[in-house]
């Protein structure tokens, strides 16, 4: 069986280039260009973060004993490797466009029997959300470094909104709900009956969660308040993120 190369795929590099291109557009003195730039920056950046999230799962699994993730191509950061392109890539971007909710994307198929122990299994699940947390912090710090004294531009607003999305993705994914990474982190320590329940519920439990977040304002508000608190803790600007959100949702 031929081993896949582990260098980033051309598609991933193309996504990075598109994201950077969106950032460049935000500095053009044209309302259309800056709006398009923010939209491209956020969508491209979110697609890149989906790849990095799944890569986080894969690299920890690889180091934890599952060598299959390498020949499956999960270490190449190629978004096409992370299950079905529609469910893993297109739908999360559509949800992001509709309501600004960072829907979890693809998934890597892990050989749990190859992992060394339960602790490793938990870290494999946590690696993805922690990647989002780190990305959110790095983006927020970048805004602080390159836009001192609270300077707000279309680029800083777009980056701030993208950072906030990372914190929302982190919070959403660590919830102990079947089908999400938070459940995967505790699943190795649960009883057999609980694990069976989780396997049966993983297809519909996240959908119920999203329905609750959208349909029950109090629950949704609490979720966003916690996400904003994390954003605040690393020095993020709510005002800048709100401007980025408003520009991203230009049709509203």
């Amino acid at each position: 069986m031929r081993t896949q190369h582990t260098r980033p795929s051309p598609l991933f590099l193309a996504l990075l280039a598109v994201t950077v291109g969106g950032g460049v557009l935000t500095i053009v003195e044209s309302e259309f260009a800056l709006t398009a730039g923010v939209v491209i920056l956020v969508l491209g950046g979110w697609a890149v973060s989906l790849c990095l999230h799944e890569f986080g799962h894969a690299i920890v699994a690889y180091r934890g004993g599952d060598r299959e993730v390498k020949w499956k191509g999960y270490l190449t950061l190629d978004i096409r490797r992370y299950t079905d392109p529609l469910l893993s890539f297109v739908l999360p971007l559509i949800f992001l466009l509709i309501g600004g909710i960072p829907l979890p994307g693809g998934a890597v198929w892990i050989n749990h029997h190859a992992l060394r122990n339960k602790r490793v299994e938990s870290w494999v699940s946590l690696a993805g959300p922690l990647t989002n947390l780190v990305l959110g912090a790095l983006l927020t710090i970048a805004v602080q470094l390159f836009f001192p004294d609270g300077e707000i531009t279309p680029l800083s607003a777009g980056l701030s909104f993208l950072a906030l999305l990372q914190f929302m993705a982190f919070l959403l994914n660590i919830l102990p709900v079947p089908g999400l990474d938070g459940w995967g982190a505790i699943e190795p320590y649960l009883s057999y009956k609980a694990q069976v329940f989780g396997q049966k519920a993983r297809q519909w439990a996240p959908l119920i969660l999203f329905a609750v977040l959208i349909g029950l304002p109090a629950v949704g508000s609490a979720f966003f308040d916690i996400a904003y608190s994390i954003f605040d803790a690393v020095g993020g600007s709510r005002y800048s993120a709100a401007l980025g959100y408003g520009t991203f949702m230009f049709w509203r």
Side-chain angles (χ1 to χ4, degrees), residues 20-89:
V20 172
V24 172
L25 277 177
T26 63
I27 64 176
V28 177
E29 293 185 2
S30 163
E31 184 175 351
F32 174 80
L34 71 85
T35 299
V38 169
V39 172
I40 293 171
L41 171 67
V42 173
L43 289 180
W46 179 244
V48 168
S49 74
L50 288 176
C51 295
L52 293 173
H53 176 107
E54 301 305 333
F55 176 82
H57 290 308
I59 190 63
V60 174
Y62 179 76
R63 294 181 180 276
D66 182 6
R67 293 295 187 257
E68 295 180 26
V69 297
K70 186 175 182 179
W71 63 257
K72 288 176 180 175
Y74 294 154
L75 302 182
T76 64
L77 289 165
D78 190 331
I79 200 165
R80 295 171 299 180
R81 299 286 182 177
Y82 305 132
T83 68
D84 184 88
L86 175 64
L87 298 177
S88 306
F89 180 57

Side-chain angles (χ1 to χ4, degrees), residues 46 50 87-88 90-96 100-106 169 172-173 206-207 210:
W46 179 244
L50 288 176
L87 298 177
S88 306
V90 178
L91 285 182
L93 292 182
I94 291 175
F95 267 76
L96 187 58
I101 298 176
L103 182 72
L172 185 64
N173 275 284
L207 297 178
F210 299 136

Side-chain angles (χ1 to χ4, degrees), residues 2 6 47 54 62 79 82 129 146 153 156 167 184-185 190 200:
R2 186 169 62 89
T6 57
E54 301 305 333
Y62 179 76
I79 200 165
Y82 305 132
F146 292 104
T153 68
S156 67
F167 294 124
L190 298 177
K200 293 180 178 179

